[in-house]
Amino acid sequence: MDFPTLRTERLILREITLDDAPALLDIHGDAEAMRWYGTNPLATLEQARQMVETFAGWRQLPAPGIRWGLALSGGGPLIGSLGLFKWNRGWRSCALGYELARGRQGQGLMSEALRAALAWGFVHMELNRIEAQVHPDNQASLTLLERLDFKTEGRARQAGFWLGRHQDLINLSLLREESALAATTT
């Protein structure tokens, strides 16, 4: 199966390649921007290359996933990524994850990218439910997901571990029947 490239007004959502490792290191090496991501910041180009391989490997797992690199439609390096992963075909559900370079935040780019990816997931993965977990202090992400019709389901106490400590996470979900994106075709 060919990798599904998606296009929006300002973005291209495309396959992440080893050529993107330096851009991933820039994004994931920014400790301030990655404080909510769920892993420790990257420190080396080799770690970034391993991340590329991990994302590519998701497509081969029993519970597969897909991770798009986000680039401006005019070209240039990746500015972030987003993925649908832990796909449970029988339950028609998956999890969502994303990050955006700090210098690109606050411009509506992630909202634009998520709309395209979520619509693709509802149509091509035949999803009924998309789940997200967000750190309770990450108000920008919580607000973004709520604008996309995600509903808060509760708090998972100490569900994550990064930056040397256990982290609580807020569980959110988007159901097909509650989302206008489910009717969108890409």
Side-chain angles (χ1 to χ4, degrees), residues 2 11 19 25 50 58-59 64 83 97 125 141 158 177:
D2 289 334
L11 298 168
D19 291 340
L25 179 59
Q50 289 172 357
W58 282 0
R59 296 194 306 268
M125 295 169 73
S141 192
Q158 297 186 7
E177 65 191 32

Side-chain angles (χ1 to χ4, degrees), residues 20-166:
D20 296 315
L24 286 176
L25 179 59
D26 287 346
I27 296 166
H28 287 264
D30 181 344
E32 179 63 21
M34 291 292 100
R35 71 188 183 278
W36 311 124
Y37 186 68
T39 61
N40 292 328
L42 298 181
T44 68
L45 190 56
E46 182 54 34
Q47 288 175 324
R49 287 184 183 117
Q50 289 172 357
M51 178 176 273
V52 172
E53 296 296 331
T54 297
F55 290 159
W58 282 0
R59 296 194 306 268
Q60 310 306 316
L61 295 174
I66 186 167
R67 190 93 184 182
W68 288 276
L70 307 180
L72 295 175
S73 58
L78 290 187
I79 60 169
S81 76
L82 74 88
L84 300 171
F85 58 100
K86 295 184 182 175
W87 183 17
N88 184 324
R89 287 183 168 118
W91 288 6
R92 298 176 63 204
S93 66
C94 75
L96 170 68
Y98 52 89
E99 85 288 336
L100 193 62
R102 191 167 16 153
R104 295 296 182 174
Q105 295 174 4
Q107 301 170 30
L109 293 168
M110 187 54 73
S111 178
E112 188 175 317
L114 284 171
R115 287 178 191 284
L118 295 172
W120 186 90
F122 282 125
V123 172
H124 296 281
M125 295 169 73
E126 300 179 348
L127 296 171
N128 180 62
R129 175 184 170 88
I130 301 171
E131 302 170 357
Q133 290 189 307
V134 178
H135 191 281
D137 294 336
N138 188 350
Q139 191 57 54
S141 192
L142 292 168
T143 299
L144 169 62
L145 292 175
E146 288 166 4
R147 278 197 322 258
L148 294 171
D149 296 324
F150 277 75
K151 305 293 185 246
T152 300
E153 297 183 325
R155 185 182 200 107
R157 298 177 312 135
Q158 297 186 7
F161 184 85
W162 71 93
L163 300 176
R165 59 183 217 147
H166 293 280

Side-chain angles (χ1 to χ4, degrees), residues 4-21:
T5 299
L6 308 178
R7 296 180 188 279
T8 70
E9 183 179 334
R10 298 179 290 171
L11 298 168
I12 296 174
L13 285 67
R14 63 166 177 78
E15 187 169 16
I16 299 170
T17 69
L18 285 173
D19 291 340
D20 296 315

